[in-house]
């Protein structure tokens, strides 16, 4: 009968035929099913079950096409989608996918199961990869699977493991430490760049992309265009106090033909690792990197009472999870919390406000 499908033979191989939903209508699909009738019967039953699940509304029928899909095809589609969307982190994504490609190069997409993903994790751990690195690599593959499901190419996404990450840096600068380093930065252009970083917490790439077109001198506002923001969302910063002073200095150093606010001799500020290390050494500061200024800016804004949503807008954080990780609590914060609590408690009255009820003694009759 039509709904039961059929088995037939072509040459030395068995084939199956069945009617399945395709483009809003029912269409006969024929596919090779093996060299024995038993293999053909097994595949036909599996296909009929998939069609039944589709009709019940639980999962869309994909048929034989998804079984031929390779991991490499998924990754290529994912990279193409990233290019279309103008993803700024595409080079980093491609770097992470190199290890995925090396491990799953010959795999069909449906062969990537939770067990095989755990095997990948174990393999990368033996190679010495950090948990955060492994998670980023798996995230790329997971997004490739999710995109395929959204596009109707695949029906399911395997369960991806996620490793706990305990390697987030916790460095930040006290004010005196930062300005001690800043005093030893010999290049004034780099010094302006670092001081802007200290006050705003903007990503270095975003600071480098700031141009004079984004500066409104009438309102003293600076607007970062969405195409230059890593998150893809533009934002504005009010130029007051130290930020206004930095912009005034940059105006005096503006170079004809260069639209960048922060530059060295008309060229975008590049790597200043040697200058940074030398300045830290002269200031007696060890174990710090420029990116610690991003955490410092977030921490300072929160300590100053700036609303979290405003602080996130300035620094460019899009998620609370990452923002909270950067809003690091120091030993000094913890001590101040205990001290403030003690001060508050000591200000409370010792004597109870409600007097206890005096019980009258019963007189003996």
């Amino acid at each position: 009968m039509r709904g039961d499908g059929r088995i037939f033979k072509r040459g030395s191989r068995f084939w199956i035929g069945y009617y399945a939903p395709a483009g809003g209508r029912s269409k006969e699909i024929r596919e090779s099913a093996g060299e024995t009738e038993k293999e053909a019967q097994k595949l036909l039953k599996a296909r009929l079950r998939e069609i039944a699940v589709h009709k019940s509304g639980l999962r869309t029928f994909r048929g034989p096409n998804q079984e031929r899909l390779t991991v490499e095809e998924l990754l290529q589609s994912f990279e193409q989608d990233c290019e279309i969307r103008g993803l700024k982190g595409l080079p980093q994504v491609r770097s992470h996918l190199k290890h995925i490609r090396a491990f799953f190069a010959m795999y069909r997409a449906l062969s990537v199961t939770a067990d095989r993903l755990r095997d990948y994790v174990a393999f990368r751990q033996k190679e010495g990869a950090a948990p955060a690195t492994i998670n980023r690599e798996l995230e790329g593959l997971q997004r490739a699977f999710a995109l395929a499901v959204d596009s109707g190419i695949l029906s399911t996404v395997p369960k991806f493991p996620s490793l706990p990450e305990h390697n987030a840096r916790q460095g930040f600068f006290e004010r005196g430490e930062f300005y001690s380093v800043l005093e030893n930065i010999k290049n004034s252009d780099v010094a302006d760049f670092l001081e802007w970083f200290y006050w705003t917490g903007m990503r270095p790439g975003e600071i480098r992309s700031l141009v004079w077109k984004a500066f409104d001198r009438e309102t003293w506002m600076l607007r970062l265009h969405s195409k230059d923001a890593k998150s893809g969302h533009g934002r504005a910063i009010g130029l007051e106090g130290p930020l206004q002073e930095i912009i005034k200095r940059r105006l005096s150093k503006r170079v004809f033909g260069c639209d960048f606010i922060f530059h060295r001799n008309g060229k975008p500020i590049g790597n200043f690792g040697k200058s940074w290390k030398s300045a830290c050494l002269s200031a007696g500061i060890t174990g710090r990197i420029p990116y610690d200024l991003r955490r410092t800016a977030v921490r300072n804004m929160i300590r100053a009472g700036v609303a979290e949503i405003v602080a996130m807008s300035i620094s460019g954080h899009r998620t609370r999870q990452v923002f909270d990780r950067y809003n690091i609590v120091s030993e000094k914060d913890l001590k101040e919390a205990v001290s403030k609590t003690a001060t508050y408690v000591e200000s409370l009255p010792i004597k109870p406000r409600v007097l206890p009820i005096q019980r009258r003694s019963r007189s003996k009759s």
Side-chain angles (χ1 to χ4, degrees), residues 337-355:
V338 175
S339 178
K340 289 179 180 178
T341 304
T343 301
Y344 168 73
V345 172
E346 289 173 0
S347 68
L348 299 176
I350 297 178
K351 294 182 179 181
R353 295 183 179 181
V354 179
L355 296 175

Side-chain angles (χ1 to χ4, degrees), residues 73 155 172 205 228 275-276 311:
E73 288 174 318
S155 57
F172 54 86
D228 297 320
S275 300
W276 174 265

Side-chain angles (χ1 to χ4, degrees), residues 18 26 32 62 71 119-120 156 171-172 177 220 229 241 280 286 311 326:
Y18 54 89
S26 185
S32 177
R62 303 301 179 198
V71 171
D119 291 341
Y120 175 79
T156 59
F172 54 86
E177 292 176 334
W220 279 88
C280 286
T286 59
Y326 277 28

Side-chain angles (χ1 to χ4, degrees), residues 114-173:
D115 288 338
R116 293 305 292 143
L117 291 169
R118 284 191 289 269
D119 291 341
Y120 175 79
V121 171
F123 175 75
R124 292 291 287 132
Q125 286 175 329
K126 287 181 181 178
E127 290 189 331
T133 300
I134 298 174
N135 284 342
R136 299 299 86 74
E137 292 168 358
L138 289 175
E139 282 174 4
L141 181 60
Q142 186 174 18
R143 288 171 186 163
F145 267 92
L147 179 63
V149 171
D150 291 341
S151 302
I153 302 172
L154 281 178
S155 57
T156 59
V157 176
K159 184 174 177 57
F160 278 75
S162 180
L163 300 178
E165 299 179 22
H166 304 296
N167 58 342
R169 284 187 56 85
Q170 296 187 357
F172 54 86
F173 281 88

Side-chain angles (χ1 to χ4, degrees), residues 11-148:
S12 62
R13 294 188 64 83
F14 283 87
W15 286 64
I16 61 173
Y18 54 89
Y19 281 85
R25 52 186 294 185
S26 185
K27 177 183 177 182
E28 186 183 23
I29 296 177
R30 300 175 185 178
E31 58 177 302
S32 177
E35 297 180 353
T36 66
E37 187 175 357
K38 187 176 181 180
E39 289 177 316
Q41 289 175 345
K42 183 178 179 181
L43 181 58
L44 180 59
K45 287 181 180 179
R47 290 287 184 254
L48 295 177
R49 282 197 299 270
E50 291 179 36
I51 295 170
V53 170
H54 172 88
K55 290 180 178 179
S56 66
L58 296 176
R59 188 168 60 231
T60 303
F61 177 78
R62 303 301 179 198
N65 291 334
Q66 67 174 344
E67 295 179 358
R68 293 192 287 266
L69 193 65
T70 65
V71 171
E72 178 59 30
E73 288 174 318
L74 291 185
L75 297 179
Q76 288 179 5
S77 295
F78 172 56
E79 290 182 354
Q80 184 182 33
D81 180 70
C82 291
E83 290 176 352
I84 292 172
R85 293 187 291 111
L87 185 69
K88 280 188 163 293
L90 182 56
Q92 190 174 15
V93 169
R94 283 177 171 154
S95 176
H96 287 151
L97 292 181
K98 286 181 181 178
H99 295 281
I100 294 291
R101 280 191 162 96
F103 191 88
F104 293 106
M106 305 302 293
Y107 274 71
R108 300 281 186 181
L110 292 183
S111 299
V112 180
T113 62
D115 288 338
R116 293 305 292 143
L117 291 169
R118 284 191 289 269
D119 291 341
Y120 175 79
V121 171
F123 175 75
R124 292 291 287 132
Q125 286 175 329
K126 287 181 181 178
E127 290 189 331
T133 300
I134 298 174
N135 284 342
R136 299 299 86 74
E137 292 168 358
L138 289 175
E139 282 174 4
L141 181 60
Q142 186 174 18
R143 288 171 186 163
F145 267 92
L147 179 63

